[in-house]
């Protein structure tokens, strides 16, 4: 009997605790799409990425052309010429790989540029979410756009538009 009473008491306390907590949802994709500075930064990153990819592609194409020419002329080349051509092709491929790593690697230029452009915007959004959450008394705000584990969320608890208003982007 005591075990049953203890179990009932724990269930009542748990239910009361859970009902006291307030949750909200936010659609971060929606929020960022409605911030012009974020869209401009994305466009700038796309343009830079295309430019850098063209540079890498040019080196790769040059190495491929060198290799095709080598294959066509290999029967006419001496051993020294073959070695020199092979070394030149390998050097060109190495340059392309190094340039690709420099631009697109984990610590590359694109990563640094993305961090410089996006972090201030993301920080501003985070602070607005935090302010709205504190003002409304939310203990937890979930990102609806991630689709991880959220099956249904009532539009009544979505604070996306409120965060945009707080940032000055009325919708």
């Amino acid at each position: 009997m005591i075990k049953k009473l203890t179990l009932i008491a724990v269930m009542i306390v748990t239910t009361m605790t859970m009902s006291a907590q307030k949750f909200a949802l936010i659609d971060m994709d929606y929020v960022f799409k409605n911030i012009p500075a974020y869209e401009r930064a994305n466009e700038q990153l796309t343009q830079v990425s295309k430019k850098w990819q063209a540079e890498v592609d040019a080196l790769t194409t040059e190495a491929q052309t060198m290799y095709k020419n080598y294959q066509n002329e290999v029967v006419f080349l001496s051993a020294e010429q073959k070695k020199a051509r092979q070394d030149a092709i390998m050097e060109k491929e190495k340059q392309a790989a190094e340039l690709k790593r420099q631009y697109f690697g984990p610590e590359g230029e694109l990563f640094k540029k993305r961090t410089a452009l996006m972090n201030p915007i993301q920080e501003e959004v985070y602070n607005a979410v935090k302010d709205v959450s504190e003002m409304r008394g939310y203990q937890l705000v979930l990102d609806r756009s991630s689709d991880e584990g959220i099956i249904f969320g009532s539009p009544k608890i979505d604070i996306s538009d409120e965060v945009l208003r707080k940032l000055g982007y009325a919708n």
Side-chain angles (χ1 to χ4, degrees), residues 17-156:
T17 304
M18 287 183 69
S19 66
Q21 294 178 353
K22 290 178 72 179
F23 303 95
L25 295 176
I26 188 166
D27 187 339
M28 292 302 283
D29 289 344
Y30 171 78
V31 170
F32 285 129
K33 285 179 184 173
N34 283 285
I35 298 176
Y38 190 84
E39 290 298 310
R40 283 191 304 272
N42 259 338
E43 182 60 33
Q44 189 176 355
L45 288 171
T46 300
Q47 294 302 319
V48 164
S49 177
K50 285 179 182 177
K51 177 184 168 226
W52 289 342
Q53 186 61 48
E55 289 179 33
V56 171
D57 290 345
L59 279 177
T60 302
T61 301
E62 192 175 335
Q64 290 171 346
T65 302
M66 289 170 69
Y67 181 71
K68 285 177 186 175
N69 291 341
Y70 169 77
Q71 284 182 318
N72 291 336
E73 300 168 359
V74 72
V75 293
F76 305 112
L77 299 175
S78 68
E80 290 175 5
Q81 290 173 324
K82 286 179 187 178
K83 176 76 172 124
R85 291 268 186 102
Q86 289 170 352
D87 289 346
I89 292 166
M90 287 178 25
E91 181 61 31
K92 191 59 72 173
E93 288 173 342
K94 187 177 173 183
Q95 287 174 359
E98 176 59 27
L99 190 61
K100 185 174 185 176
R101 188 198 59 73
Q102 177 186 343
Y103 285 152
F104 302 108
E107 298 289 324
E109 295 299 317
L110 187 63
F111 174 79
K112 291 175 186 172
K113 191 158 189 72
R114 177 175 281 119
T115 301
L117 291 173
M118 298 299 192
N119 275 4
I121 299 167
Q122 290 170 339
E123 186 89 12
E124 186 179 12
V125 170
Y126 170 78
N127 288 332
V129 170
K130 184 178 172 193
D131 289 348
V132 169
S133 297
E134 288 174 354
M135 181 179 70
R136 294 272 205 88
Y138 295 126
Q139 283 85 23
L140 178 67
V141 178
L142 300 171
D143 183 4
R144 169 180 269 176
S145 64
S146 69
D147 292 334
E148 295 294 320
I150 299 175
I151 297 170
F152 172 77
S154 172
K156 293 176 184 176

